[in-house]
Amino acid sequence: RIGLWVDGQNKQKFSDGESHRNDTGFYTTCDQMLWKEKDEPNDSQGLGGFFRAGFANGKFDDVTDFWSIGLQYQGLFEDRDDDVLAFGMAQGVFTEQANAGYSSDNETVFETYYNIAVAPWLHISPDVQYIANPGGDKSVNDAVVVGVRVQMVF
């Protein structure tokens, strides 16, 4: 998939502080099943991968380039066919405009989670993230974020 976005709000350029409209960017994303446990058309158990990339104008936007890549496995454990174990890595590259205020040119995140299918309508996902150069600030320590996501479908 590919896409284009346009932000019609007034934004100030980093270089001259003047306001401009219609900031644009584009992105691409790809998800692919890499290996299936069973050779059946409706089987979703197995190893999948994804890749995403996005690009924006560094004269207006703090993050000019973004990419992420990862793997996920559905049904890794016996009798847990709808559970998903995933690992991903993402990086946002900050603008090179001098007055944007970043001391690092990027922020990098490593994430792993386990999506537990408690019921068809309820999923719980414990999640751990490691963030290098949070906020593009070299003076800040790297961060570890631990969380839990809950998804309910009504």
Side-chain angles (χ1 to χ4, degrees):
R1 295 174 293 276
I2 59 172
L4 172 72
W5 58 265
V6 177
D7 184 351
Q9 300 179 70
N10 281 327
K11 287 187 173 180
Q12 289 185 343
K13 272 189 176 179
F14 290 114
S15 58
D16 60 14
E18 291 184 27
S19 290
H20 299 273
R21 292 176 48 101
N22 298 326
D23 178 24
T24 59
F26 69 95
Y27 61 90
T28 184
T29 179
C30 175
D31 302 280
Q32 180 65 47
M33 177 64 84
L34 302 172
W35 178 80
K36 284 183 157 188
E37 287 186 4
K38 299 174 189 163
D39 191 20
E40 298 174 8
N42 294 330
D43 183 40
S44 58
Q45 294 183 55
L47 180 66
F50 70 87
F51 173 78
R52 293 175 180 82
F55 307 93
N57 188 336
K59 294 178 183 177
F60 300 102
D61 299 295
D62 292 318
V63 178
T64 59
D65 303 293
F66 171 84
W67 62 269
S68 65
I69 190 167
L71 296 170
Q72 68 176 34
Y73 198 103
Q74 181 174 332
L76 181 62
F77 301 110
E78 191 70 33
D79 297 326
R80 303 296 312 166
D81 296 347
D82 295 322
D83 289 4
V84 176
L85 174 65
F87 175 78
M89 178 182 175
Q91 185 174 75
V93 178
F94 296 106
T95 182
E96 294 180 0
Q97 297 293 320
N99 59 347
Y102 297 102
S103 60
S104 175
D105 62 354
N106 67 67
E107 175 181 275
T108 304
V109 179
F110 299 90
E111 177 181 19
T112 190
Y113 68 86
Y114 188 75
N115 184 312
I116 304 163
V118 178
W121 56 272
L122 177 64
H123 289 246
I124 299 174
S125 301
D127 174 82
V128 177
Q129 298 177 17
Y130 176 83
I131 305 169
N133 300 321
D137 188 347
K138 288 183 180 178
S139 68
V140 175
N141 291 333
D142 292 352
V144 175
V145 178
V146 178
V148 175
R149 287 177 264 199
V150 177
Q151 179 182 14
M152 295 189 298
V153 178
F154 297 99

